[in-house]
Amino acid sequence: DYFSVPQPAAPKAEASFHTDLETDLGKAIASLSSYIERCRWFFVLAPTVSHEEGHLLDYSSWKGRGWCRFERLARVLTPATDTSVHVIKDDTTIWQAAPLEWLHEPVGFGSFTIESDRQRLAIRMEDMLQKKLHYLWVSGSMSEYRRW
């Protein structure tokens, strides 16, 4: 997402700038779930590195962030049969994240730089869930439909 979403110049961009569909950033954010839906693979690049403020960044810190949790949920809610998430730690370490890990780490409980993003993502998540349910209904996957 860092490379596919324009990054604001300021450390904290205005919240309205994030979702203003007139900006490139707003358009990119609005299309994140559609982009993820079209991806065959989903990789999390999460090496262990030191942040300039001294704390470590890794897969645990990645999955603690609300936006990262949203991306993972978008992957889970795609119509694709393979919704796996692959984590790359370094040039020799890759693993598949636990399939139901997202259930224990809800998007709304993640950390957000801009607090109002929490509510904005709730609306997007509802849309993604409705789309998933519609897909399962139309495709006749009743057992999967009932599970959701």
Side-chain angles (χ1 to χ4, degrees), residues 70 117-128:
F70 173 77
D117 284 350
R118 193 179 311 273
Q119 185 58 37
R120 286 186 174 97
L121 288 184
I123 295 165
R124 301 286 300 144
M125 289 184 294
E126 186 176 343
D127 291 343
M128 290 186 311

Side-chain angles (χ1 to χ4, degrees), residues 49-129:
V49 294
S50 293
H51 188 275
E52 62 187 22
E53 294 176 3
H55 58 277
L56 288 179
L57 300 174
D58 58 9
Y59 180 60
S60 291
S61 63
W62 178 88
K63 64 184 186 166
R65 295 192 295 273
W67 276 99
C68 298
R69 290 178 177 196
F70 173 77
E71 293 166 358
R72 180 178 57 186
L73 183 64
R75 176 66 174 178
V76 169
L77 292 177
T78 66
T81 54
D82 179 8
T83 59
S84 59
V85 173
H86 304 279
V87 181
I88 300 175
K89 179 180 171 68
D90 56 40
D91 60 347
T92 62
T93 311
I94 183 171
W95 73 87
Q96 185 173 329
L100 299 178
E101 185 177 61
W102 62 275
L103 283 172
H104 304 285
E105 297 158 343
V107 174
F109 287 98
S111 62
F112 289 90
T113 303
I114 299 170
E115 187 58 34
S116 60
D117 284 350
R118 193 179 311 273
Q119 185 58 37
R120 286 186 174 97
L121 288 184
I123 295 165
R124 301 286 300 144
M125 289 184 294
E126 186 176 343
D127 291 343
M128 290 186 311
L129 179 58

Side-chain angles (χ1 to χ4, degrees), residues 11-79:
K12 284 189 175 182
E14 293 295 321
S16 61
F17 188 69
H18 268 202
T19 54
D20 178 1
L21 291 180
E22 299 302 314
T23 67
D24 287 341
L25 177 61
K27 292 174 186 174
I29 288 172
S31 66
L32 267 176
S33 59
S34 295
Y35 175 74
I36 291 169
E37 180 179 315
R38 287 162 178 76
C39 292
R40 181 174 178 190
W41 301 99
F42 188 97
F43 293 100
V44 175
L45 304 177
T48 301
V49 294
S50 293
H51 188 275
E52 62 187 22
E53 294 176 3
H55 58 277
L56 288 179
L57 300 174
D58 58 9
Y59 180 60
S60 291
S61 63
W62 178 88
K63 64 184 186 166
R65 295 192 295 273
W67 276 99
C68 298
R69 290 178 177 196
F70 173 77
E71 293 166 358
R72 180 178 57 186
L73 183 64
R75 176 66 174 178
V76 169
L77 292 177
T78 66

